Amino acid sequence: MDEALLRSLTPSVLGILVRRGADFAAAEDAVQDALVEAVRVWPAEQPRDPKGWLVTVAWRKFLDATRADTARRRREDLVDEEPPSGPATGVDDTLQLYFLCAHPSLTPSSAVALTLRAVGGLTTRQIAQAYLVPEATMAQRISRAKRTVAGVRFDRPGDVATVLRVLYLVFNEGYSGDVDLAAEAVRLTRQLATVIDHPEVAGLLALMLLHHARRDSRTAPDGSLVPLAEQDRGRWDTGLITEGVEILQAALARDRLGEYQAQAAIAALHADAPTAEETDWVQIVEWYDELARLTDSPVVRLNRAVALGEADGPRAGIAALAALPDSLPRHAAAAAYLHERAGEPATAARLYAEAARKASNLAERDYLTRQAARLNTRRIH
């Protein structure tokens, strides 16, 4: 197969989709899917009109994605912006689709990626960022998952753990700002909790509620990001916090600890502190130790390093951070914060600027840029 030909045709195919009415991001996703399909099909039989083939396949994939997105948005329009408290009534087809996409014939990671793309409506780029892998790798993974389930009878739905992972990632994407899916994820997790009695389902619901309680305080009126320590805690939704804590306590009492319960316990400790200065950082570090034991996640260890810097001083946090790869998302931002607290404004300003260049969304980039400018201005004066 002529890979150089594929690369040379990509810009023109992308341009054709945009001229036909596709927005650029959606067109990019569709063209990537078409390229992956070409890699699979062309070695056996390359089409006589490669460009026409790519345009046809890419346009079909764009239409499929648009229909799926329209259906998802129609489902979201049926719910209020804020999820109601209390048990959910009934289970709709969206949750069933989550289980069907988590098919046993797929690996858990492929099932999550496919569900996020087909049902959750996230772009390939957003899913790749959630998984910490290159976008091209994720595009291939999703395409392989589509091929695997093509023509398969969906009479064996996937397991709860995979569905929880999907709901967790959908909530995080909605919570971080690019796509507003947080309320939908809470709604579906409430439904799941009514039909499955499992401590990790309860743990995930508690975690979502505790984070969602802070939603209104996370941004200023101009849209700029407000970090946790600077948020107006009077704007936190005490009803959601109370509900989340009660659900978490009931789950922990069953003595079957999982990662979502551990994360919810950390969120509850933040919610319980009247001020940022009164946060029980020692206990938060202990919960991060439990979470690291459960997940062995480098992102968890990064968050633990920041918490350790609060509990034992910034030098302890910097030392813990030094043991982690600096390629981790928000590594530079965490290092900048700890170095500023350690009294090293020049290093902190440089790291804030580096973190801003790597930021995945505009609000985060603007916040980090302002932090770098603040420290540089202070040094000048």
Side-chain angles (χ1 to χ4, degrees), residues 167-188:
L167 289 167
Y168 174 69
L169 289 175
V170 170
F171 177 82
N172 280 344
E173 189 58 48
Y175 193 63
S176 66
D178 286 342
V179 181
D180 188 7
L181 293 173
E184 173 73 350
V186 173
R187 183 181 73 86
L188 292 172

mmCIF file with all atom_site columns, all heavy atoms in Angstrom, residues 167-188:
data_model
loop_
_atom_site.group_PDB
_atom_site.id
_atom_site.type_symbol
_atom_site.label_atom_id
_atom_site.label_alt_id
_atom_site.label_comp_id
_atom_site.label_asym_id
_atom_site.label_entity_id
_atom_site.label_seq_id
_atom_site.pdbx_PDB_ins_code
_atom_site.Cartn_x
_atom_site.Cartn_y
_atom_site.Cartn_z
_atom_site.occupancy
_atom_site.B_iso_or_equiv
_atom_site.pdbx_formal_charge
_atom_site.auth_seq_id
_atom_site.auth_comp_id
_atom_site.auth_asym_id
_atom_site.auth_atom_id
_atom_site.pdbx_PDB_model_num
ATOM 1   N N   . LEU A 1 167 ? -18.736 5.963  31.873 1.00 0.00 ? 167 LEU A N   1
ATOM 2   C CA  . LEU A 1 167 ? -19.476 7.045  32.529 1.00 0.00 ? 167 LEU A CA  1
ATOM 3   C C   . LEU A 1 167 ? -18.531 8.017  33.217 1.00 0.00 ? 167 LEU A C   1
ATOM 4   O O   . LEU A 1 167 ? -18.737 9.235  33.189 1.00 0.00 ? 167 LEU A O   1
ATOM 5   C CB  . LEU A 1 167 ? -20.463 6.455  33.537 1.00 0.00 ? 167 LEU A CB  1
ATOM 6   C CG  . LEU A 1 167 ? -21.670 5.728  32.941 1.00 0.00 ? 167 LEU A CG  1
ATOM 7   C CD1 . LEU A 1 167 ? -22.400 4.926  34.011 1.00 0.00 ? 167 LEU A CD1 1
ATOM 8   C CD2 . LEU A 1 167 ? -22.628 6.715  32.263 1.00 0.00 ? 167 LEU A CD2 1
ATOM 9   N N   . TYR A 1 168 ? -17.490 7.493  33.823 1.00 0.00 ? 168 TYR A N   1
ATOM 10  C CA  . TYR A 1 168 ? -16.494 8.330  34.506 1.00 0.00 ? 168 TYR A CA  1
ATOM 11  C C   . TYR A 1 168 ? -15.795 9.269  33.521 1.00 0.00 ? 168 TYR A C   1
ATOM 12  O O   . TYR A 1 168 ? -15.647 10.464 33.774 1.00 0.00 ? 168 TYR A O   1
ATOM 13  C CB  . TYR A 1 168 ? -15.484 7.420  35.203 1.00 0.00 ? 168 TYR A CB  1
ATOM 14  C CG  . TYR A 1 168 ? -14.313 8.124  35.847 1.00 0.00 ? 168 TYR A CG  1
ATOM 15  C CD1 . TYR A 1 168 ? -14.486 8.918  36.975 1.00 0.00 ? 168 TYR A CD1 1
ATOM 16  C CD2 . TYR A 1 168 ? -13.027 7.967  35.344 1.00 0.00 ? 168 TYR A CD2 1
ATOM 17  C CE1 . TYR A 1 168 ? -13.412 9.540  37.582 1.00 0.00 ? 168 TYR A CE1 1
ATOM 18  C CE2 . TYR A 1 168 ? -11.942 8.572  35.938 1.00 0.00 ? 168 TYR A CE2 1
ATOM 19  C CZ  . TYR A 1 168 ? -12.134 9.360  37.060 1.00 0.00 ? 168 TYR A CZ  1
ATOM 20  O OH  . TYR A 1 168 ? -11.066 9.980  37.651 1.00 0.00 ? 168 TYR A OH  1
ATOM 21  N N   . LEU A 1 169 ? -15.378 8.725  32.375 1.00 0.00 ? 169 LEU A N   1
ATOM 22  C CA  . LEU A 1 169 ? -14.692 9.546  31.384 1.00 0.00 ? 169 LEU A CA  1
ATOM 23  C C   . LEU A 1 169 ? -15.641 10.556 30.744 1.00 0.00 ? 169 LEU A C   1
ATOM 24  O O   . LEU A 1 169 ? -15.250 11.691 30.459 1.00 0.00 ? 169 LEU A O   1
ATOM 25  C CB  . LEU A 1 169 ? -14.058 8.659  30.312 1.00 0.00 ? 169 LEU A CB  1
ATOM 26  C CG  . LEU A 1 169 ? -12.838 7.852  30.771 1.00 0.00 ? 169 LEU A CG  1
ATOM 27  C CD1 . LEU A 1 169 ? -12.377 6.913  29.658 1.00 0.00 ? 169 LEU A CD1 1
ATOM 28  C CD2 . LEU A 1 169 ? -11.696 8.769  31.169 1.00 0.00 ? 169 LEU A CD2 1
ATOM 29  N N   . VAL A 1 170 ? -16.883 10.168 30.497 1.00 0.00 ? 170 VAL A N   1
ATOM 30  C CA  . VAL A 1 170 ? -17.864 11.109 29.944 1.00 0.00 ? 170 VAL A CA  1
ATOM 31  C C   . VAL A 1 170 ? -18.088 12.255 30.925 1.00 0.00 ? 170 VAL A C   1
ATOM 32  O O   . VAL A 1 170 ? -18.123 13.431 30.544 1.00 0.00 ? 170 VAL A O   1
ATOM 33  C CB  . VAL A 1 170 ? -19.194 10.397 29.626 1.00 0.00 ? 170 VAL A CB  1
ATOM 34  C CG1 . VAL A 1 170 ? -20.282 11.402 29.288 1.00 0.00 ? 170 VAL A CG1 1
ATOM 35  C CG2 . VAL A 1 170 ? -19.010 9.440  28.460 1.00 0.00 ? 170 VAL A CG2 1
ATOM 36  N N   . PHE A 1 171 ? -18.243 11.945 32.211 1.00 0.00 ? 171 PHE A N   1
ATOM 37  C CA  . PHE A 1 171 ? -18.426 12.987 33.220 1.00 0.00 ? 171 PHE A CA  1
ATOM 38  C C   . PHE A 1 171 ? -17.224 13.924 33.263 1.00 0.00 ? 171 PHE A C   1
ATOM 39  O O   . PHE A 1 171 ? -17.363 15.148 33.292 1.00 0.00 ? 171 PHE A O   1
ATOM 40  C CB  . PHE A 1 171 ? -18.633 12.357 34.596 1.00 0.00 ? 171 PHE A CB  1
ATOM 41  C CG  . PHE A 1 171 ? -18.763 13.372 35.704 1.00 0.00 ? 171 PHE A CG  1
ATOM 42  C CD1 . PHE A 1 171 ? -19.975 13.991 35.953 1.00 0.00 ? 171 PHE A CD1 1
ATOM 43  C CD2 . PHE A 1 171 ? -17.667 13.717 36.473 1.00 0.00 ? 171 PHE A CD2 1
ATOM 44  C CE1 . PHE A 1 171 ? -20.095 14.946 36.954 1.00 0.00 ? 171 PHE A CE1 1
ATOM 45  C CE2 . PHE A 1 171 ? -17.778 14.657 37.478 1.00 0.00 ? 171 PHE A CE2 1
ATOM 46  C CZ  . PHE A 1 171 ? -18.994 15.277 37.725 1.00 0.00 ? 171 PHE A CZ  1
ATOM 47  N N   . ASN A 1 172 ? -16.020 13.367 33.251 1.00 0.00 ? 172 ASN A N   1
ATOM 48  C CA  . ASN A 1 172 ? -14.813 14.204 33.308 1.00 0.00 ? 172 ASN A CA  1
ATOM 49  C C   . ASN A 1 172 ? -14.718 15.122 32.108 1.00 0.00 ? 172 ASN A C   1
ATOM 50  O O   . ASN A 1 172 ? -14.311 16.285 32.236 1.00 0.00 ? 172 ASN A O   1
ATOM 51  C CB  . ASN A 1 172 ? -13.566 13.327 33.388 1.00 0.00 ? 172 ASN A CB  1
ATOM 52  C CG  . ASN A 1 172 ? -13.319 12.813 34.785 1.00 0.00 ? 172 ASN A CG  1
ATOM 53  O OD1 . ASN A 1 172 ? -13.891 13.325 35.750 1.00 0.00 ? 172 ASN A OD1 1
ATOM 54  N ND2 . ASN A 1 172 ? -12.491 11.796 34.919 1.00 0.00 ? 172 ASN A ND2 1
ATOM 55  N N   . GLU A 1 173 ? -15.069 14.633 30.927 1.00 0.00 ? 173 GLU A N   1
ATOM 56  C CA  . GLU A 1 173 ? -15.009 15.485 29.736 1.00 0.00 ? 173 GLU A CA  1
ATOM 57  C C   . GLU A 1 173 ? -16.032 16.601 29.838 1.00 0.00 ? 173 GLU A C   1
ATOM 58  O O   . GLU A 1 173 ? -15.753 17.752 29.504 1.00 0.00 ? 173 GLU A O   1
ATOM 59  C CB  . GLU A 1 173 ? -15.240 14.663 28.469 1.00 0.00 ? 173 GLU A CB  1
ATOM 60  C CG  . GLU A 1 173 ? -14.986 15.446 27.194 1.00 0.00 ? 173 GLU A CG  1
ATOM 61  C CD  . GLU A 1 173 ? -13.580 16.000 27.135 1.00 0.00 ? 173 GLU A CD  1
ATOM 62  O OE1 . GLU A 1 173 ? -12.617 15.270 27.384 1.00 0.00 ? 173 GLU A OE1 1
ATOM 63  O OE2 . GLU A 1 173 ? -13.453 17.210 26.836 1.00 0.00 ? 173 GLU A OE2 1
ATOM 64  N N   . GLY A 1 174 ? -17.237 16.268 30.293 1.00 0.00 ? 174 GLY A N   1
ATOM 65  C CA  . GLY A 1 174 ? -18.254 17.290 30.468 1.00 0.00 ? 174 GLY A CA  1
ATOM 66  C C   . GLY A 1 174 ? -17.864 18.295 31.516 1.00 0.00 ? 174 GLY A C   1
ATOM 67  O O   . GLY A 1 174 ? -18.073 19.495 31.380 1.00 0.00 ? 174 GLY A O   1
ATOM 68  N N   . TYR A 1 175 ? -17.235 17.814 32.613 1.00 0.00 ? 175 TYR A N   1
ATOM 69  C CA  . TYR A 1 175 ? -16.853 18.681 33.714 1.00 0.00 ? 175 TYR A CA  1
ATOM 70  C C   . TYR A 1 175 ? -15.717 19.615 33.333 1.00 0.00 ? 175 TYR A C   1
ATOM 71  O O   . TYR A 1 175 ? -15.622 20.726 33.821 1.00 0.00 ? 175 TYR A O   1
ATOM 72  C CB  . TYR A 1 175 ? -16.445 17.805 34.895 1.00 0.00 ? 175 TYR A CB  1
ATOM 73  C CG  . TYR A 1 175 ? -16.314 18.521 36.218 1.00 0.00 ? 175 TYR A CG  1
ATOM 74  C CD1 . TYR A 1 175 ? -17.417 19.116 36.810 1.00 0.00 ? 175 TYR A CD1 1
ATOM 75  C CD2 . TYR A 1 175 ? -15.094 18.577 36.883 1.00 0.00 ? 175 TYR A CD2 1
ATOM 76  C CE1 . TYR A 1 175 ? -17.310 19.750 38.028 1.00 0.00 ? 175 TYR A CE1 1
ATOM 77  C CE2 . TYR A 1 175 ? -14.985 19.213 38.102 1.00 0.00 ? 175 TYR A CE2 1
ATOM 78  C CZ  . TYR A 1 175 ? -16.101 19.796 38.679 1.00 0.00 ? 175 TYR A CZ  1
ATOM 79  O OH  . TYR A 1 175 ? -15.984 20.433 39.894 1.00 0.00 ? 175 TYR A OH  1
ATOM 80  N N   . SER A 1 176 ? -14.848 19.175 32.411 1.00 0.00 ? 176 SER A N   1
ATOM 81  C CA  . SER A 1 176 ? -13.697 19.992 32.054 1.00 0.00 ? 176 SER A CA  1
ATOM 82  C C   . SER A 1 176 ? -14.025 21.061 31.030 1.00 0.00 ? 176 SER A C   1
ATOM 83  O O   . SER A 1 176 ? -13.238 21.951 30.806 1.00 0.00 ? 176 SER A O   1
ATOM 84  C CB  . SER A 1 176 ? -12.563 19.111 31.514 1.00 0.00 ? 176 SER A CB  1
ATOM 85  O OG  . SER A 1 176 ? -12.945 18.514 30.299 1.00 0.00 ? 176 SER A OG  1
ATOM 86  N N   . GLY A 1 177 ? -15.168 20.988 30.371 1.00 0.00 ? 177 GLY A N   1
ATOM 87  C CA  . GLY A 1 177 ? -15.612 22.156 29.641 1.00 0.00 ? 177 GLY A CA  1
ATOM 88  C C   . GLY A 1 177 ? -15.872 22.047 28.164 1.00 0.00 ? 177 GLY A C   1
ATOM 89  O O   . GLY A 1 177 ? -16.724 22.750 27.654 1.00 0.00 ? 177 GLY A O   1
ATOM 90  N N   . ASP A 1 178 ? -15.152 21.212 27.412 1.00 0.00 ? 178 ASP A N   1
ATOM 91  C CA  . ASP A 1 178 ? -15.319 21.229 25.970 1.00 0.00 ? 178 ASP A CA  1
ATOM 92  C C   . ASP A 1 178 ? -16.690 20.721 25.527 1.00 0.00 ? 178 ASP A C   1
ATOM 93  O O   . ASP A 1 178 ? -17.279 21.226 24.590 1.00 0.00 ? 178 ASP A O   1
ATOM 94  C CB  . ASP A 1 178 ? -14.228 20.381 25.294 1.00 0.00 ? 178 ASP A CB  1
ATOM 95  C CG  . ASP A 1 178 ? -12.888 21.085 25.312 1.00 0.00 ? 178 ASP A CG  1
ATOM 96  O OD1 . ASP A 1 178 ? -12.884 22.301 25.526 1.00 0.00 ? 178 ASP A OD1 1
ATOM 97  O OD2 . ASP A 1 178 ? -11.870 20.419 25.130 1.00 0.00 ? 178 ASP A OD2 1
ATOM 98  N N   . VAL A 1 179 ? -17.195 19.706 26.183 1.00 0.00 ? 179 VAL A N   1
ATOM 99  C CA  . VAL A 1 179 ? -18.502 19.137 25.844 1.00 0.00 ? 179 VAL A CA  1
ATOM 100 C C   . VAL A 1 179 ? -19.287 18.989 27.144 1.00 0.00 ? 179 VAL A C   1
ATOM 101 O O   . VAL A 1 179 ? -18.805 18.383 28.090 1.00 0.00 ? 179 VAL A O   1
ATOM 102 C CB  . VAL A 1 179 ? -18.353 17.748 25.172 1.00 0.00 ? 179 VAL A CB  1
ATOM 103 C CG1 . VAL A 1 179 ? -19.717 17.187 24.814 1.00 0.00 ? 179 VAL A CG1 1
ATOM 104 C CG2 . VAL A 1 179 ? -17.482 17.848 23.936 1.00 0.00 ? 179 VAL A CG2 1
ATOM 105 N N   . ASP A 1 180 ? -20.501 19.550 27.208 1.00 0.00 ? 180 ASP A N   1
ATOM 106 C CA  . ASP A 1 180 ? -21.264 19.533 28.452 1.00 0.00 ? 180 ASP A CA  1
ATOM 107 C C   . ASP A 1 180 ? -22.036 18.225 28.580 1.00 0.00 ? 180 ASP A C   1
ATOM 108 O O   . ASP A 1 180 ? -23.193 18.128 28.201 1.00 0.00 ? 180 ASP A O   1
ATOM 109 C CB  . ASP A 1 180 ? -22.215 20.729 28.492 1.00 0.00 ? 180 ASP A CB  1
ATOM 110 C CG  . ASP A 1 180 ? -22.894 20.859 29.843 1.00 0.00 ? 180 ASP A CG  1
ATOM 111 O OD1 . ASP A 1 180 ? -22.516 20.102 30.756 1.00 0.00 ? 180 ASP A OD1 1
ATOM 112 O OD2 . ASP A 1 180 ? -23.798 21.694 29.983 1.00 0.00 ? 180 ASP A OD2 1
ATOM 113 N N   . LEU A 1 181 ? -21.364 17.225 29.135 1.00 0.00 ? 181 LEU A N   1
ATOM 114 C CA  . LEU A 1 181 ? -21.975 15.907 29.294 1.00 0.00 ? 181 LEU A CA  1
ATOM 115 C C   . LEU A 1 181 ? -22.074 15.502 30.762 1.00 0.00 ? 181 LEU A C   1
ATOM 116 O O   . LEU A 1 181 ? -22.511 14.387 31.056 1.00 0.00 ? 181 LEU A O   1
ATOM 117 C CB  . LEU A 1 181 ? -21.146 14.853 28.547 1.00 0.00 ? 181 LEU A CB  1
ATOM 118 C CG  . LEU A 1 181 ? -21.116 14.959 27.021 1.00 0.00 ? 181 LEU A CG  1
ATOM 119 C CD1 . LEU A 1 181 ? -20.124 13.950 26.465 1.00 0.00 ? 181 LEU A CD1 1
ATOM 120 C CD2 . LEU A 1 181 ? -22.482 14.736 26.433 1.00 0.00 ? 181 LEU A CD2 1
ATOM 121 N N   . ALA A 1 182 ? -21.662 16.386 31.680 1.00 0.00 ? 182 ALA A N   1
ATOM 122 C CA  . ALA A 1 182 ? -21.597 15.999 33.086 1.00 0.00 ? 182 ALA A CA  1
ATOM 123 C C   . ALA A 1 182 ? -22.975 15.621 33.637 1.00 0.00 ? 182 ALA A C   1
ATOM 124 O O   . ALA A 1 182 ? -23.127 14.593 34.298 1.00 0.00 ? 182 ALA A O   1
ATOM 125 C CB  . ALA A 1 182 ? -20.987 17.122 33.915 1.00 0.00 ? 182 ALA A CB  1
ATOM 126 N N   . ALA A 1 183 ? -23.995 16.451 33.375 1.00 0.00 ? 183 ALA A N   1
ATOM 127 C CA  . ALA A 1 183 ? -25.328 16.175 33.910 1.00 0.00 ? 183 ALA A CA  1
ATOM 128 C C   . ALA A 1 183 ? -25.884 14.871 33.354 1.00 0.00 ? 183 ALA A C   1
ATOM 129 O O   . ALA A 1 183 ? -26.534 14.102 34.072 1.00 0.00 ? 183 ALA A O   1
ATOM 130 C CB  . ALA A 1 183 ? -26.279 17.334 33.586 1.00 0.00 ? 183 ALA A CB  1
ATOM 131 N N   . GLU A 1 184 ? -25.617 14.588 32.080 1.00 0.00 ? 184 GLU A N   1
ATOM 132 C CA  . GLU A 1 184 ? -26.080 13.343 31.476 1.00 0.00 ? 184 GLU A CA  1
ATOM 133 C C   . GLU A 1 184 ? -25.404 12.146 32.121 1.00 0.00 ? 184 GLU A C   1
ATOM 134 O O   . GLU A 1 184 ? -26.035 11.115 32.379 1.00 0.00 ? 184 GLU A O   1
ATOM 135 C CB  . GLU A 1 184 ? -25.801 13.362 29.967 1.00 0.00 ? 184 GLU A CB  1
ATOM 136 C CG  . GLU A 1 184 ? -26.067 12.063 29.234 1.00 0.00 ? 184 GLU A CG  1
ATOM 137 C CD  . GLU A 1 184 ? -27.551 11.752 29.064 1.00 0.00 ? 184 GLU A CD  1
ATOM 138 O OE1 . GLU A 1 184 ? -28.389 12.448 29.678 1.00 0.00 ? 184 GLU A OE1 1
ATOM 139 O OE2 . GLU A 1 184 ? -27.865 10.810 28.324 1.00 0.00 ? 184 GLU A OE2 1
ATOM 140 N N   . ALA A 1 185 ? -24.105 12.266 32.426 1.00 0.00 ? 185 ALA A N   1
ATOM 141 C CA  . ALA A 1 185 ? -23.390 11.170 33.079 1.00 0.00 ? 185 ALA A CA  1
ATOM 142 C C   . ALA A 1 185 ? -23.950 10.913 34.482 1.00 0.00 ? 185 ALA A C   1
ATOM 143 O O   . ALA A 1 185 ? -24.101 9.757  34.899 1.00 0.00 ? 185 ALA A O   1
ATOM 144 C CB  . ALA A 1 185 ? -21.902 11.485 33.150 1.00 0.00 ? 185 ALA A CB  1
ATOM 145 N N   . VAL A 1 186 ? -24.276 11.995 35.214 1.00 0.00 ? 186 VAL A N   1
ATOM 146 C CA  . VAL A 1 186 ? -24.872 11.830 36.548 1.00 0.00 ? 186 VAL A CA  1
ATOM 147 C C   . VAL A 1 186 ? -26.225 11.124 36.435 1.00 0.00 ? 186 VAL A C   1
ATOM 148 O O   . VAL A 1 186 ? -26.542 10.205 37.198 1.00 0.00 ? 186 VAL A O   1
ATOM 149 C CB  . VAL A 1 186 ? -25.032 13.190 37.249 1.00 0.00 ? 186 VAL A CB  1
ATOM 150 C CG1 . VAL A 1 186 ? -25.795 13.037 38.561 1.00 0.00 ? 186 VAL A CG1 1
ATOM 151 C CG2 . VAL A 1 186 ? -23.672 13.820 37.520 1.00 0.00 ? 186 VAL A CG2 1
ATOM 152 N N   . ARG A 1 187 ? -27.019 11.538 35.458 1.00 0.00 ? 187 ARG A N   1
ATOM 153 C CA  . ARG A 1 187 ? -28.353 10.947 35.280 1.00 0.00 ? 187 ARG A CA  1
ATOM 154 C C   . ARG A 1 187 ? -28.248 9.452  35.019 1.00 0.00 ? 187 ARG A C   1
ATOM 155 O O   . ARG A 1 187 ? -28.984 8.641  35.615 1.00 0.00 ? 187 ARG A O   1
ATOM 156 C CB  . ARG A 1 187 ? -29.069 11.647 34.126 1.00 0.00 ? 187 ARG A CB  1
ATOM 157 C CG  . ARG A 1 187 ? -30.499 11.165 33.873 1.00 0.00 ? 187 ARG A CG  1
ATOM 158 C CD  . ARG A 1 187 ? -31.113 11.896 32.692 1.00 0.00 ? 187 ARG A CD  1
ATOM 159 N NE  . ARG A 1 187 ? -30.566 11.456 31.425 1.00 0.00 ? 187 ARG A NE  1
ATOM 160 C CZ  . ARG A 1 187 ? -31.021 10.402 30.745 1.00 0.00 ? 187 ARG A CZ  1
ATOM 161 N NH1 . ARG A 1 187 ? -32.020 9.681  31.227 1.00 0.00 ? 187 ARG A NH1 1
ATOM 162 N NH2 . ARG A 1 187 ? -30.476 10.066 29.595 1.00 0.00 ? 187 ARG A NH2 1
ATOM 163 N N   . LEU A 1 188 ? -27.341 9.067  34.129 1.00 0.00 ? 188 LEU A N   1
ATOM 164 C CA  . LEU A 1 188 ? -27.199 7.651  33.793 1.00 0.00 ? 188 LEU A CA  1
ATOM 165 C C   . LEU A 1 188 ? -26.641 6.849  34.963 1.00 0.00 ? 188 LEU A C   1
ATOM 166 O O   . LEU A 1 188 ? -27.027 5.694  35.177 1.00 0.00 ? 188 LEU A O   1
ATOM 167 C CB  . LEU A 1 188 ? -26.304 7.497  32.565 1.00 0.00 ? 188 LEU A CB  1
ATOM 168 C CG  . LEU A 1 188 ? -26.896 8.015  31.254 1.00 0.00 ? 188 LEU A CG  1
ATOM 169 C CD1 . LEU A 1 188 ? -25.846 7.998  30.152 1.00 0.00 ? 188 LEU A CD1 1
ATOM 170 C CD2 . LEU A 1 188 ? -28.116 7.207  30.847 1.00 0.00 ? 188 LEU A CD2 1
#
